[in-house]
Amino acid sequence: MTAKIIDGAAISQQIRDKLASEVAAFRAQTGVIPHLAAVLVGENPASAVYVRSKQKACETTGLKSTLHKLPADTTQQQLLDLITQLNQAPDVHGILVQLPLPKQIDQQVVLDAVTPLKDVDAFHPENVGLIAQGRPRFLPCTPHGVQQLLMASATQIAGAHAVIIGRSEIVGKPLAMMLVQKGTGADATVTVCHSRTRNLAEITLQADILIAAIGVPRFVTANMVRPGAVVIDVGINRVDDKLVGDVDFDAVKEIASAITPVPKGVGPMTIAMLLKNTLTAARLQTKS
Ligand SMILES: NC(=O)c1ccc[n+]([C@@H]2O[C@H](COP(=O)([O-])OP(=O)(O)OC[C@H]3O[C@@H](n4cnc5c(N)ncnc54)[C@H](OP(=O)(O)O)[C@@H]3O)[C@@H](O)[C@H]2O)c1
């Protein structure tokens, strides 16, 4: 069997087209332009590329975006002062702090400082708590993108055994919380694996849905995948100037029933979900 390729680029474009009309309607109704403020500290080239593509996506969807670029030697207090300013700015609806931050800055302190109503990454403890309780204000962009890909590819999620490799705060853990909820796009039986998991392949072989968010190139090999499983590859790794995922795509596509490629899989979905959250943030902050 050769797997169906889940085309994240095409699915995200459909979502962005729909969002563009929702943004246009919102602007016409309220006179407000949803505005995402991105904060980039230092000169990390990958971060600069990510921020640029997020800004470009904002522009093509009718959202305003501004970039606040700070030098690599910015102090934590200077960054917190900027966050306070953005928290208070009435025309800023979403705040995105591009990670990673330089070593002298405590990432958690900065993310906690973003006011929850503008927290379009859904990293603030208040928003994480709401997700855990199944009444989200915002859904985190990458896990939400994964969930949307599963739904768009007509994957049976309810009752399925979803195995997630990775327990990061950004991907693995919130995705597990989302897939285990009651309701549409969820109701899965979820297992979360990590670097201390024993007999990993024994667990992944039981997965109806296998999600890799590890950060190790081609970590998931064909002998770890149950025939017919749906495989979602969150990983983005640079190998010899080429982007590869956490899944050995060429071998696994011969076993899986459906699989996401890297690039053009989860990556573009993350950006689409960020745009969606920015519109949600603008709605929440605009009295009609
Ligand atoms: N497509 C997108 O938009 C997007 C967004 C975010 C991230 N990513 C990519 O997704 C990948 C994961 O990102 P992340 O932020 O979640 O990474 P992370 O914070 O480094 O977490 C990696 C997770 O993988 C686990 N892990 C590492 N080695 C393992 C092993 N040998 N066996 C089992 N588990 C192992 C770690 O376990 P421990 O907890 O035990 O250390 C950890 O839970 C990266 O390639 C990243 O670039 C993509």
Side-chain angles (χ1 to χ4, degrees), residues 142 165-168 171 194-195 213-215 219 234-237 266-267 270:
T142 301
I165 316 177
R167 58 174 165 182
S168 71
V171 189
H194 47 77
S195 68
I214 312 160
F219 179 90
V234 180
I236 302 178
N237 310 289
V266 175
T270 297

Side-chain angles (χ1 to χ4, degrees), residues 92 257 260:
V92 169
S257 62
T260 58

